[in-house]
Amino acid sequence: MGDVPTNAVLGDKPCIEPEVIKSLSYQFRVADLHDLVSVEQNRKNLLPVLDYFIRSQAALHHAEYIGTPDSLEDNILKKGNTFRGVVVYSQTSLPVAYAVYYPMVNDKGERGNYIEDAYVTESFRGHSVMPYVYHVLARRCSEEGAQFLQWSTDKRNFPFQGFSRKIGATRPATKTLIANDFLAEDYVPQQPSLRQAWDNTNFVTLPIEGKHVNMTKQFVTPDIIRRTGDLDFRGFITFRADDLRHPVALTPGWPHMSTFKLKHGLVLENPSFSEDSGLTDQDKVAIILSCAKAAKTYAAANEYSYLKWHVKDDGEAPSRVLQGEISLPIDTMVGTVESEMEIYNLRNGKLRELAKNKKNGVEIPVTTAIGARPPERRP
Ligand SMILES: CC(C)(COP(=O)(O)OP(=O)(O)OC[C@H]1O[C@@H](n2cnc3c(N)ncnc32)[C@H](O)[C@@H]1OP(=O)(O)O)[C@@H](O)C(=O)NCCC(=O)NCCS
């Protein structure tokens, strides 16, 4: 009698019991969306996956996504290198998660990265995939000289809020206002006092350029110029019309792309006013309107079709005028009051903590592997 093969069958019973698999093991592979922009071959592979992810994230929010892989490609290429992010795959090419982010500047002129989209495929949820995605984004911050991560989430999105709090993010007292009214051809403020400031402004507002670097120091960190060479828009600088050497206000800003609507827009931050220029409250109102006018001109010349304004909710001139007197609406996901976008911020120790080594994969118990999602947990 020769050797008995290990898989020999006696009757219909195998000699050796099959190994009991307790969990599925996935190693992550990360595709850089910056390569998507710069390498044509990568576009062919990544665009359909990105299109699928954006569509899925839109469906999750009951929002409309109007894109196709082709129109997505056109829009990403249009604004070149501000489009960044990652797609996370398993080693067997299952789409696990994605995130899209853009470089931004805040009201202090600090450079950060704004996360536009972040999403984990449903069957991979509950296994620390999003903490891994944020780990990758936090590492990007240090590589790219960004001092913080920022994102907005709908106030009804309890899971994402829970996640945001878990990683130590904080909420600045800032609201996002939709300032599209200012871009309309025929916009004029309704109130007579505002209308006068709109028509006869004594201020001149210009897009911030490299040559303004020394002028911006009194308002914000000088980083705003040094660290934003890759942005075609960094905000506005305002002068009295009769003195173009000494600015009286600075309103940082940055370009944005809506992945759902495939449109390009501008985001403005809260303005800073010069403390020693003797500005009256009325002047501040005129400066805000001068800025809105400059945004209209800049947007028209550079094909930006929407305007958001991050305004401190502090009762000072910007919020009083934009929110109170002009009544700009709050940013929402689907245009209802139930939906309001809330801003989150992560910086310093919390950001560094996240950037530290994380496991480059997950083990998913077979018992929860199919269609599994964690139960709803509310704060
Ligand atoms: C919310 C989401 C990001 C969590 O990602 P994940 O990889 O599944 O993360 P985990 O389940 O490992 O959870 C990480 C932490 O997030 C929080 N969290 C996760 N699910 C939660 C829920 N349903 N309710 C409240 N907090 C939750 C918890 O603090 C959790 O830590 P803990 O398990 O130690 O308590 C994921 O469900 C997702 O992709 N949702 C859809 C995307 C989305 O809403 N994007 C909006 C971007 S603005």
Side-chain angles (χ1 to χ4, degrees):
M1 215 166 106
D3 290 345
V4 179
T6 52
N7 60 351
V9 174
L10 296 174
D12 57 0
K13 191 170 179 283
C15 288
I16 294 174
E17 292 294 334
E19 191 191 340
V20 179
I21 299 172
K22 293 212 172 91
S23 65
L24 305 173
S25 176
Y26 295 98
Q27 286 300 303
F28 296 144
R29 293 193 295 154
V30 179
D32 185 341
L33 291 184
H34 190 63
D35 294 344
L36 174 95
V37 176
S38 49
V39 184
E40 200 177 339
Q41 186 53 38
N42 288 346
R43 293 209 286 275
K44 289 204 179 67
N45 299 330
L46 276 175
L47 274 166
V49 183
L50 186 61
D51 180 74
Y52 154 80
F53 267 132
I54 297 174
R55 194 176 295 282
S56 308
Q57 156 116 321
L60 191 83
H61 290 88
H62 298 276
E64 196 186 4
Y65 170 56
I66 57 154
T68 62
D70 284 347
S71 60
L72 184 58
E73 178 174 23
D74 287 349
N75 276 280
I76 291 171
L77 293 180
K78 214 170 172 179
K79 287 294 161 191
N81 68 1
T82 71
F83 188 88
R84 301 189 188 163
V86 289
V87 165
V88 180
Y89 297 87
S90 72
Q91 74 276 32
T92 50
S93 293
L94 295 179
V96 172
Y98 89 116
V100 167
Y101 67 93
Y102 310 125
M104 69 167 283
V105 266
N106 67 9
D107 60 337
K108 297 192 187 75
E110 294 168 331
R111 170 66 182 270
N113 282 335
Y114 181 83
I115 303 170
E116 171 69 5
D117 289 349
Y119 175 90
V120 177
T121 299
E122 195 157 351
S123 59
F124 282 92
R125 290 188 193 156
H127 303 287
S128 296
V129 173
M130 192 55 84
Y132 173 77
V133 172
Y134 266 61
H135 154 73
V136 174
L137 299 184
R139 289 185 60 162
R140 294 286 176 96
C141 283
S142 63
E143 288 159 15
E144 296 172 6
Q147 287 169 267
F148 60 91
L149 277 172
Q150 186 166 307
W151 60 97
S152 306
T153 189
D154 194 294
K155 73 176 178 193
R156 298 164 301 171
N157 193 340
F158 301 115
F160 214 86
Q161 286 173 20
F163 164 73
S164 303
R165 281 195 301 273
K166 176 75 192 274
I167 60 171
T170 51
R171 286 192 49 207
T174 303
K175 286 201 185 290
T176 310
L177 305 180
I178 299 296
N180 294 342
D181 280 2
F182 293 136
L183 305 189
E185 195 53 52
D186 52 356
Y187 176 78
V188 281
Q190 295 307 305
Q191 296 181 36
S193 61
L194 295 176
R195 194 158 178 165
Q196 201 179 354
W198 177 264
D199 289 340
N200 306 308
T201 181
N202 296 323
F203 296 94
V204 173
T205 297
L206 303 170
I208 300 171
E209 292 179 50
K211 66 182 180 193
H212 297 128
V213 65
N214 289 328
M215 298 178 177
T216 64
K217 282 181 186 160
Q218 63 166 312
F219 302 102
V220 293
T221 89
D223 285 358
I224 191 170
I225 305 289
R226 267 199 292 115
R227 295 202 172 169
T228 52
D230 49 350
L231 301 189
D232 64 349
F233 176 72
R234 302 132 177 204
F236 293 115
I237 187 162
T238 304
F239 302 87
R240 287 190 197 277
D242 57 0
D243 178 5
L244 296 185
R245 287 157 57 114
H246 301 100
V248 292
L250 195 93
T251 309
W254 44 284
H256 179 268
M257 179 182 128
S258 156
T259 49
F260 290 2
K261 297 186 183 131
L262 290 185
K263 287 184 176 169
H264 296 267
L266 299 174
V267 181
L268 295 179
E269 298 293 329
N270 206 65
S272 294
F273 300 102
S274 166
E275 279 169 12
D276 50 13
S277 302
L279 293 174
T280 62
D281 244 28
Q282 221 176 348
D283 288 336
K284 289 182 183 172
V285 172
I287 288 169
I288 292 160
L289 294 177
S290 167
C291 222
K293 264 189 165 173
K296 175 179 174 174
T297 309
Y298 188 90
N302 295 281
E303 295 182 31
Y304 285 106
S305 61
Y306 59 92
L307 180 67
K308 297 186 186 208
W309 209 325
H310 285 159
V311 176
K312 277 191 187 160
D313 203 14
D314 57 4
E316 293 294 319
S319 81
R320 216 180 50 239
V321 174
L322 297 173
Q323 220 181 324
E325 296 176 34
I326 299 181
S327 304
L328 293 183
I330 306 255
D331 192 17
T332 65
M333 179 66 70
V334 285
T336 73
V337 287
E338 286 75 22
S339 159
E340 177 181 334
M341 300 308 283
E342 296 181 340
I343 301 176
Y344 284 87
N345 233 297
L346 193 79
R347 54 167 57 239
N348 302 331
K350 299 287 184 193
L351 190 64
R352 285 194 292 275
E353 175 77 14
L354 208 57
K356 285 192 198 142
N357 281 342
K358 278 254 165 13
K359 264 200 310 189
N360 188 23
V362 280
E363 295 272 329
I364 301 188
V366 281
T367 48
T368 58
I370 304 299
R373 56 172 301 177
E376 181 82 357
R377 286 177 274 167
R378 290 187 179 235

